[in-house]
Amino acid sequence: MVLYVVGLGLSSEKDITVRGLEAVKSCERVYLEAYTSILMVDTEKLSEFYGKEVVVADREMVESESDKILDGAQEKNVAFLVVGDPFGATTHTDLVIRAHELSIKVEIIHNASIMNAIGACGLQLYNFGQTVSMVFFTPTWRPDSFYDRIKENRDIGLHTLVLLDIKVKEQSFENMARGRKIYEPPRYMTVAQCAEQMLEIEELRGEGVYTPNTIAIGVSRIGSHDQRIVTGTLQELSEADLGPPLHSLVLLGSRVHELEVDYIRAFALNKETFEQVVALEHNKKAS
């Protein structure tokens, strides 16, 4: 019997592959990982389309109670569904390792993820460097390790994909300390919040890795019928509203190709500002 780790794609219940759907229909139990990303339909709709009850697996179950998911997988097929591609988060690697330790056969069924679908913004995928994550800042915690990774990318001219934080089934420090199973409402970082935090760290670090006038691309709901793609300066994006989640941001590298510029020009929030910044960057390279 098999543990199927199935990528669901980015948007609707119909984004699952034919192979993935066949695997799900063969399973005794079906789990949906529901904290590293979200699908844009509810669980009931998935259950109806797959013809199987879908059990939501939160962070606690996946990271601390994986035996519940793997229980009986030596005798019956079990599916673990992942929004995007199965290996978009290291947690899923841990589950596969655990299955191998228990001599459970594992089959991975891939799908589209933000890591390749970001090509929809017009930038060439092989011009991307390290992907970084942006977490929600708190009054006492404002991590800036992302800044160093962006600097490394920009030093060699590469674009940076920034994945934005989501908070699902999170506890406040007080409730956690008191052992109360009370959870905060879900929160999803926006492009505007990400750009604002990036500008704050640039002001603190002052190393000129990027500026308020650096061109970036904000995307939301990539892969859906109402996806949005906008190009602007970080300052412009810090004030932009891209609607409901999920959002991501791309910071342009210095080696941006002319064809890439031509493509992203169509998404400019302010055409005049865009042309001014592009001309300025062109003059810098020429001098």
Side-chain angles (χ1 to χ4, degrees):
M1 294 295 102
V2 180
L3 170 68
Y4 291 103
V5 186
V6 182
L8 298 184
L10 294 168
S11 180
S12 80
E13 73 280 8
K14 296 180 181 179
D15 285 348
I16 191 170
T17 63
V18 173
R19 181 177 162 215
L21 183 58
E22 290 175 346
V24 169
K25 288 182 177 294
S26 76
C27 290
E28 183 77 14
R29 302 194 314 278
V30 180
Y31 296 92
L32 171 65
E33 186 270 281
Y35 66 90
T36 61
S37 189
I38 59 168
L39 207 61
M40 298 174 201
V41 295
D42 58 34
T43 308
E44 289 74 19
K45 200 164 186 178
L46 293 181
S47 297
E48 180 182 353
F49 186 74
Y50 301 153
K52 294 283 183 177
E53 180 186 3
V54 176
V55 177
V56 174
D58 59 17
R59 180 189 295 271
E60 184 177 352
M61 175 181 284
V62 177
E63 294 186 347
S64 305
E65 303 173 9
S66 61
D67 287 346
K68 288 184 178 180
I69 297 172
L70 299 176
D71 183 41
Q74 294 94 338
E75 294 83 31
K76 299 177 181 178
N77 290 346
V78 175
F80 183 72
L81 311 181
V82 180
V83 178
D85 186 77
F87 290 124
T90 55
T91 295
H92 312 135
T93 305
D94 293 339
L95 184 67
V96 171
I97 292 172
R98 177 65 177 146
H100 287 159
E101 291 172 347
L102 295 171
S103 299
I104 296 171
K105 181 180 178 182
V106 178
E107 187 168 331
I108 309 297
I109 301 178
H110 294 281
N111 209 321
S113 76
I114 188 62
M115 303 292 283
N116 56 8
I118 196 61
C121 74
L123 301 182
Q124 297 163 3
L125 292 178
Y126 49 74
N127 284 340
F128 278 79
Q130 304 169 83
T131 297
V132 303
S133 297
M134 177 69 72
V135 300
F136 281 110
F137 286 178
T138 73
T140 58
W141 189 57
R142 310 177 99 71
D144 63 356
S145 58
F146 71 88
Y147 188 87
D148 299 309
R149 304 290 82 75
I150 292 175
K151 183 178 188 301
E152 290 168 0
N153 286 343
R154 288 180 67 81
D155 282 347
I156 55 177
L158 299 178
H159 313 313
T160 303
L161 171 61
V162 186
L163 303 178
L164 310 192
D165 201 5
I166 71 173
K167 298 291 187 186
V168 178
K169 205 174 180 183
E170 297 278 338
Q171 292 177 277
S172 67
F173 289 120
E174 180 182 355
N175 287 328
M176 190 181 300
R178 295 177 180 272
R180 297 186 297 215
K181 296 291 186 179
I182 300 173
Y183 301 99
E184 302 293 296
R187 290 191 296 151
Y188 306 97
M189 183 179 287
T190 66
V191 162
Q193 290 170 317
C194 177
E196 186 176 358
Q197 291 186 178
M198 288 177 66
L199 291 173
E200 176 185 328
I201 296 302
E202 176 57 56
E203 187 173 353
L204 289 172
R205 297 280 295 261
E207 299 175 34
V209 171
Y210 47 81
T211 74
N213 288 324
T214 296
I215 292 292
I217 303 171
V219 303
S220 62
R221 301 175 303 286
I222 283 291
S224 71
H225 69 278
D226 65 342
Q227 70 177 24
R228 286 202 64 194
I229 304 173
V230 297
T231 303
T233 64
L234 277 176
Q235 185 61 53
E236 289 173 335
L237 290 177
S238 72
E239 302 166 3
D241 181 4
L242 273 68
L246 291 170
H247 292 196
S248 299
L249 183 142
V250 178
L251 200 65
L252 260 66
S254 59
R255 278 177 17 196
V256 60
H257 192 277
E258 289 181 9
L259 290 177
E260 294 176 301
V261 173
D262 288 343
Y263 198 105
I264 67 175
R265 178 180 282 112
F267 304 122
L269 288 168
N270 185 311
K271 294 289 197 296
E272 183 177 352
T273 301
F274 179 82
E275 297 301 343
Q276 289 173 351
V277 174
V278 168
L280 182 60
E281 290 298 318
H282 178 76
N283 291 337
K284 283 182 182 178
K285 291 178 185 178
S287 62

